[in-house]
Amino acid sequence: MGELRTAGERPPWEGLDGTDRHAACVVAARAGDRRALDVLIADLTPLVWHVARGHGLDRSTAEDVVQTVWLALLRHLDRLAEPRALAGWLVVTTRREAQRTWTPSRREAALNDELAEQLESEYGLPEDAALVDDRDHRLWRAFGRLSQKCQELLRLTVLAGRAEYRAVAEALSMPRGSIGPTRGRCLTTLRAHLDAEGGSR
């Protein structure tokens, strides 16, 4: 059985990062190692959640989408052509499922907490609790003025980090080398929009 390992044997994904780690987990999961699935879920659920929430889904609907996406992966695990492209596959699948469940009434959903916290750290926005609501409203308005491409790129790269640029590039059909520069331009535009909304005051 793939789940049985001798004492002290290192799992194949140990010490690996990013797409290499995920590919090793996919191969191990195909061989029956349930721990590999646990690692994938722990590593990549934040990404799936982020994409779902980024499409304006409320928390409950996003949770349903996340569950549906993981079930879809389990069904397609043996048919996943390129294990190293797992993160990109998850992004595309989550996007499709989120769009399927999206309704106009959800468009006004607030910017998800995870993205807000990350963007706030980029700009050093004030942490005074009394300013949180006003700050988040301004940040959401500024973010909403970005192009759809910039919004999605920032959601994915703010969460996934440089190690996942390959997956982000695949998911957005962009050259990997253009992710960083494009992200920088999007952040500059966001900063300008945020300043127009009143900056960090």
Side-chain angles (χ1 to χ4, degrees):
M1 295 291 293
E3 293 181 52
L4 301 178
R5 294 184 180 275
T6 58
E9 183 179 350
R10 294 175 57 188
W13 58 85
E14 186 174 316
L16 299 179
D17 294 314
T19 53
D20 291 335
R21 175 179 171 89
H22 302 150
C25 285
V26 168
V27 172
R30 285 173 173 170
D33 193 332
R34 293 183 62 87
R35 295 177 306 162
L37 284 175
D38 292 339
V39 170
L40 288 175
I41 291 170
D43 281 6
L44 293 170
T45 289
L47 177 63
V48 175
W49 172 260
H50 208 58
V51 174
R53 290 285 278 166
H55 277 74
L57 302 184
D58 57 51
R59 182 171 294 274
S60 176
T61 306
E63 289 172 353
D64 290 342
V65 166
V66 170
Q67 183 176 16
T68 299
V69 169
W70 282 117
L71 289 174
L73 176 63
L74 289 177
R75 289 194 300 269
H76 290 86
L77 194 60
D78 291 331
R79 288 176 281 167
L80 194 64
E82 176 49 74
R84 290 176 60 84
L86 173 62
W89 184 92
L90 288 171
V91 168
V92 171
T93 304
T94 305
R95 183 193 301 142
R96 290 173 179 166
E97 183 63 19
Q99 290 170 345
R100 189 184 69 78
T101 60
W102 184 90
T103 62
S105 63
R106 296 192 174 110
R107 182 174 289 280
E108 298 304 317
L111 184 64
N112 65 73
D113 293 339
E114 295 88 350
L115 179 62
E117 290 171 3
Q118 292 291 333
L119 291 176
E120 287 156 16
S121 68
E122 292 266 357
Y123 303 121
L125 295 177
E127 295 303 322
D128 185 349
L131 299 177
V132 167
D133 285 345
D134 180 60
R135 174 200 61 198
D136 287 350
H137 283 307
R138 285 186 283 105
L139 181 56
W140 174 235
R141 286 195 301 267
F143 189 83
R145 292 176 62 189
L146 293 174
S147 68
Q148 195 67 35
K149 180 179 179 180
C150 273
Q151 289 185 30
E152 190 158 19
L153 178 61
L154 289 181
R155 286 185 183 112
L156 297 181
T157 56
V158 165
L159 178 70
R162 188 171 302 278
E164 295 302 332
Y165 272 21
R166 171 178 170 169
V168 172
E170 291 171 353
L172 298 182
S173 300
M174 294 174 60
R176 183 177 180 180
S178 71
I179 296 293
T182 303
R183 178 180 185 269
R185 289 192 293 272
C186 291
L187 285 172
T188 298
T189 302
L190 178 60
R191 172 77 264 184
H193 290 334
L194 188 59
D195 286 343
E197 292 286 347
S200 60
R201 294 187 296 277

